Amino acid sequence: MLEQQNVNRRQLLVYGAAVGAALPMVLSTSAPAFAAQDGSETSVITVGQGVEPETLDIQQTDVGSTRNVAGLILQPLVSWNYNTGELEGVLAERWSSVDDLTWEVNLRPGVQYTNGEPLNAEGVKFAIERFLTATHPFASRLAKLELTVTPVDETTVQLTTNAPYPFVMLDATRIPIVPPGYLGEVGDSEFALNPVGTGPYTLREWIAGDRVVLEKSESYWGEGYAFDEVVYRVVPEAASRTAALQTGEVDAISSVSLLDFETIDGDPNLDAIAVVSNRSMFIRFDCEDPRLSDVRVRQAFNHAVDKDLLVSALLLGNGEVLDGQPIGRQIVGHNDELEAYPYDPDLARQLLEEAGFDFDEPLTMFGTVGRYTADQDITQAVAGMLGEVGVQIEVQPLEWGVWLTRYRDGTLTPLTFVGIHTSVPDAFTLLDTHSSASIGGKFKNPDFDAIMNEAASTIEPDARIELYNQASQLLRDEAGLLFLYQQYDIYAANHEVEGIDFRPDDAIDLVQAAPAS
Amino acid sequence: MARQLVASPVMLCSVAFLLIVVAFAIAPGFFAPHDPEAQSLTRRLLPPLANVGDTTYWLGTDSLGRDMLSRVIFGARISVIVALAGVVLSGAVGVVIGVVSGYYGGLIDDFFGWLVNVQLSFPFLLLAVAVAAVLGPGLRNIIIVLAVTTWVSYSRVMRGQVLTIRDSEYVQAARVIGASDRRLLAKHVLPNTYIPLIVIVTFEVARLIIAEASLSFLGLGTAGLASWGTLMADGRAHLATSWWIATMPGIAIMITVLAINLIGDWLRDVLDPRFQRR
Amino acid sequence: MQAFIIRRLIQAVFVLLGASIVSFALLHLAGNPVDLILPMDATAEERDAMMHQLGYDRPLIQQYADYMRGLVRGDFGESVRSRQPAMQLVLERLPATLELAAVAMAISIVFAFPAGIAAAIWRGSIVDRGLMVLTLIGQSVPVFFLGLVFILVFGVRLRWFPVAGRGGLEHLILPALSLGMYSMARTARLVRSGMLEVLHSDYITTARAKGLSEQLVVVRHALKNALVPIITILGLDIATLLGGAIITETIFSWPGLGQLIIYSVSTRDFPIVQAAVFVIACTYIFVNFFVDILYAIVNPRVRLM
């Protein structure tokens, strides 16, 4: 039915400790050239994305495309460096754990917001407290932990939670520090349209539905960001994004369709860049469903699906098979000991027989439409592979909004195709999704729940990773999921620009970006 | 009429082509040289007429190495079902509403007039998403969405027709004699409306096939089953490099629509004495 | 005339009411915005809390009553996601869509009338056959395909026009052409068949018999009578153009209402969708009001009522 294919004509960015310390950076091999610094010419980079920002107040949203735009204006205390696998300071210079409940953060001195307000401890307190009541997805859990900010002196704050919480600093990578004076002046609604921050760029204009134009701030405290202007344009249709890249209307694009790979490949002025994403794809079992409650049945399903073939044939090589855990290799907490269930349809049939599986009753498998790369093809193919070992699957694809409502209602049973993404590079979310307390958790394993419960409050990283390893081992042994793959996000850029860093968390980092020399 | 048909070679070709399409729709497996879903990654993106080994791919292959000719033949089934069911459903609803509101007038007419306006003032996409959400995606629901959005054309035209005929002398005369409403409609009003109806049907068949393609483009199309429209929507990303993937089903749509239009024009000319070419 | 306007106003209110009820019902059947805002790992508590905060846990009737109360005051509420007034977001986008639809319609009329008339007069000639082919393409090629072909040929290959966004005239040509193509094809065909019908009718024969020049017959008599059904169709086409603009806007990255609707529907941003439905319904009603007046001018037998 399907045949294997080797994928070679592709540049691939791989991140993470598992791959090694020296990481290839396709677009930033040469030092950035600051070509247009003499003032004679304005250097502009134009980036095409599929979705327009709904707001530039990124305390209210965690949508990747929005963060890319507003992240050039508003900055967090710290950010995660996927190349080194470590946190690095942005507005914070140093941070240290005081005790299980408290972090002390020293702010970078002398930083000003672009409106001239100074960055200080009181401002950070204001910003984080505002975040706790915002609509950002992280807000409610931090609010529940009663995260409090205590200014110690002008440039030092203490962050305290009411219970041990290991992810204070990781979550802080998503908390933009907003200026209290300006916000008090203009209010939330105006701030969403015209934010002011400490970042390298300021907003020049935002034409609804069309573009956001940012210009370099004269007073930026940091280095990098060679372009005088950054323009983010909205180009919803993937084929049109590729066309706009070809005509030079934009210099870089995100969410390149798999099928456009060849077009871009065939153009000597363009590069396609595949980035391992923080999203893991799998089929979720409802382990309490009587037909799936036997571990042998779930193992059989895992053996019946040829993951390598899915990736090579349907993703055209743009993915990596999960090694028996829903955790990508670039994520802290990846379990190096585990291996994928090998493709073995005979063993699958045998296991199903042993478990007394009822081959006559079809199982429903829910899927998404256009939400994930090649999602409809993948669900069809998985159903076909299960069909080969005698399991009848009825595929039911759902529109994304409907799928989500039913996911939360718990009615996507017994099987659903799903991708779980973590915004911070830690395995916790990827595993905890499957604990019984979680809204999507259908693994229903008390041991697993207990381990994750403990991990949730274990501050010491090595101890926590050990717990993650136990949990992922259990999840694999019990075949709590039908493990599939990690997909690659595909970006493309022309040769006018260099040094753009496309990250696994949907972010486009322009710190090293510069006009091509 | 049969004599006139034979006398026109263009008509013969059109009818023959439509019959072929219908045959494809009824027994695609009989005509298709390959399994439309069989992938072969060593035979990806072959142009039309490519020869590999002992196989000729007449319409080329797609990005997964599937034979486009077989996919177009199987696609005929879904497109024909969508077009036929859509026309029958929307036609039936539209004609009944149009005739009733034209014939009875008054409050009934006002109500349906209001419904038409609400329908037309309303973005069709919203309806499509809502139906997909409430009923789930699938062929049946796509047909419902399309029917709900196209009945208006029938209803408007039928209403106009019925209005003119209702007040004509011979219908008035029949009424005086004491003919019942139903009899009047069936014997005198309806038979005089089929000419405009044929014209609309030829329009609407094309529109339904295209509208289904648009739904596929928006990600609300038929899942799993690839209609011509879905093939076009899926193949669009390849237009720049492998034009045939989206274009071949497009040509199938175009010839079908051409055939239907020619037949429609011809039927009208034959049926309407004023258009007799002499 | 006054009675006509009053009657129309009353009708308009009912149509708006109907559109608002239908859109409200459809949206609420299709889910809620909360599920699309919350992260995948949100707890049931968080979901309930946000449902409550945004008022989606109240009975539907009450939500509708609140919506209507706001509507009467001209307040459509705030976008769930961006927190900006919904109507303002919609009105920001309206000019781009109207510009596109108007130019598409203009192109379609400017081409369709001469072409349709010529095809009717020289029936069966090269002109007629050529028009048949053109209308066929307009009718049977989906707008997304046509748009992408335009982009690839005139944008990427020839570099004559930009492929994305709104700006000067050069940005407008490709999207307007692909949007107007269907309407152009349909109108040309209607003009042709309308003209044919009229040209064969008794009074034209009489006019010809009276020795009037062919030109005068066509322009003074035939065209005027053929116009009547065509104007109705053009009125309907406005709705099609506004709706069809959704796909054209997506393909050409045109910052109009269509794109806003498609995104707001997919994110279930109810206030924006409801405001957009209202605006589109108003536009439709407004345009059809003028179509009816035009109708009466062209055809004095029709009385405005």
Side-chain angles (χ1 to χ4, degrees), chain A residues 1-3 237 260 262 369 397, chain B residues 39 41-42 45 137 219 236-237:
Chain A
M1 182 178 93
L2 297 164
E3 289 167 29
E237 161 67 14
D260 280 347
E262 262 137 285
V369 182
Chain B
Q39 306 177 356
L41 292 170
T42 52
L45 302 174
R236 69 182 187 271

Side-chain angles (χ1 to χ4, degrees), chain C residues 91-132:
Chain C
L91 291 178
E92 250 172 29
R93 301 295 193 92
L94 188 62
T97 295
L98 288 181
E99 178 183 299
L100 184 59
V103 174
M105 179 131 257
I107 292 177
S108 124
I109 290 174
V110 164
F111 177 83
F113 272 82
I117 293 169
I121 295 175
W122 296 292
R123 191 167 181 230
S125 69
I126 297 278
V127 182
D128 194 15
R129 296 262 156 78
L131 181 77
M132 184 75 190

Side-chain angles (χ1 to χ4, degrees), chain A residues 38-342:
Chain A
D38 55 10
S40 61
E41 199 185 329
T42 319
S43 58
V44 183
I45 181 171
T46 307
V47 182
Q49 301 191 120
V51 182
E52 156 162 70
E54 292 151 343
T55 164
L56 293 181
D57 181 357
I58 42 176
Q59 286 205 338
Q60 312 291 351
T61 179
D62 198 44
V63 175
S65 50
T66 301
R67 240 175 29 231
N68 286 334
V69 181
L72 294 171
I73 301 171
L74 297 166
Q75 296 182 303
L77 292 173
V78 288
S79 82
W80 184 263
N81 185 328
Y82 276 90
N83 296 311
T84 59
E86 278 173 13
L87 275 178
E88 60 188 29
V90 182
L91 295 179
E93 206 170 37
R94 288 185 312 280
W95 56 97
S96 54
S97 168
V98 178
D99 56 45
D100 273 5
L101 300 177
T102 312
W103 283 85
E104 186 163 285
V105 179
N106 296 94
L107 302 177
R108 196 177 289 279
V111 174
Q112 288 189 339
Y113 297 95
T114 49
N115 66 343
E117 268 182 68
L119 174 80
N120 56 30
E122 283 297 336
V124 170
K125 177 180 163 65
F126 169 85
I128 296 178
E129 281 174 357
R130 178 175 184 267
F131 181 85
L132 296 181
T133 59
T135 50
H136 193 282
F138 288 9
S140 65
R141 71 176 183 222
L142 289 173
K144 214 181 314 167
L145 287 158
E146 292 175 22
L147 178 68
T148 46
V149 186
T150 321
V152 177
D153 58 37
E154 184 69 10
T155 58
T156 312
V157 291
Q158 285 194 341
L159 306 179
T160 319
T161 50
N162 65 356
Y165 180 65
F167 311 116
V168 172
M169 293 314 291
L170 269 186
D171 284 3
T173 62
R174 295 303 173 103
I175 307 179
I177 304 303
V178 296
Y182 179 73
L183 251 165
E185 217 173 279
V186 301
D188 288 346
S189 185
E190 173 65 17
F191 187 79
L193 298 175
N194 195 1
V196 159
T198 56
Y201 290 90
T202 57
L203 180 70
R204 182 194 290 165
E205 62 173 342
W206 178 5
I207 303 171
D210 189 38
R211 68 185 65 205
V212 180
V213 182
L214 304 167
E215 61 189 349
K216 185 80 198 280
S217 154
E218 295 297 328
S219 59
Y220 181 52
W221 57 267
E223 310 257 290
Y225 300 104
F227 284 100
D228 300 325
E229 267 180 38
V230 179
V231 182
Y232 272 99
R233 290 188 54 178
V234 189
V235 186
E237 161 67 14
S240 308
R241 270 200 301 282
T242 303
L245 183 71
Q246 287 179 293
T247 62
E249 284 167 67
V250 298
D251 299 307
I253 55 174
S254 62
S255 314
V256 177
S257 123
L258 275 184
L259 304 175
D260 280 347
F261 228 106
E262 262 137 285
T263 310
I264 291 167
D265 236 22
D267 193 322
N269 297 315
L270 307 178
D271 279 327
I273 303 106
V275 182
V276 171
S277 82
N278 279 358
R279 178 171 283 120
S280 303
M281 309 302 306
F282 49 86
I283 309 280
R284 189 189 66 179
F285 296 122
D286 179 4
C287 297
E288 286 185 330
D289 187 293
R291 293 163 296 183
L292 298 171
S293 55
D294 190 319
V295 64
R296 288 170 296 186
V297 171
R298 303 195 298 264
Q299 285 169 342
F301 277 46
N302 270 290
H303 284 299
V305 174
D306 187 347
K307 282 80 67 178
D308 290 310
L309 190 54
L310 292 180
V311 169
S312 65
L314 297 176
L315 300 180
L316 308 178
N318 290 293
E320 239 159 86
V321 172
L322 284 172
D323 43 0
Q325 57 191 316
I327 306 163
R329 290 166 187 81
Q330 78 279 20
I331 305 280
V332 174
H334 173 265
N335 187 340
D336 296 344
E337 307 293 313
L338 298 184
E339 277 176 19
Y341 278 93

Side-chain angles (χ1 to χ4, degrees), chain A residues 1-5 9 237-239 246 257 259-260 262-263 309 312-314 316 369 376-377 380 396-399 402, chain B residues 37-42 44-45 63-64 66 129 132-134 136-137 217 219-220 222-224 234 236-238 240-241:
Chain A
M1 182 178 93
L2 297 164
E3 289 167 29
Q4 287 283 4
Q5 181 209 29
R9 292 182 306 155
E237 161 67 14
Q246 287 179 293
S257 123
L259 304 175
D260 280 347
E262 262 137 285
T263 310
L309 190 54
S312 65
L314 297 176
L316 308 178
V369 182
Q376 294 204 65
D377 292 343
Q380 287 292 344
Q396 172 120 43
L398 297 175
E399 190 260 349
V402 180
Chain B
E37 298 296 334
Q39 306 177 356
S40 164
L41 292 170
T42 52
R44 303 179 57 218
L45 302 174
S63 60
L64 297 173
R66 297 177 291 197
V129 171
V134 178
F217 171 81
L220 299 166
T222 52
D234 291 350
R236 69 182 187 271
H238 278 301
T241 45

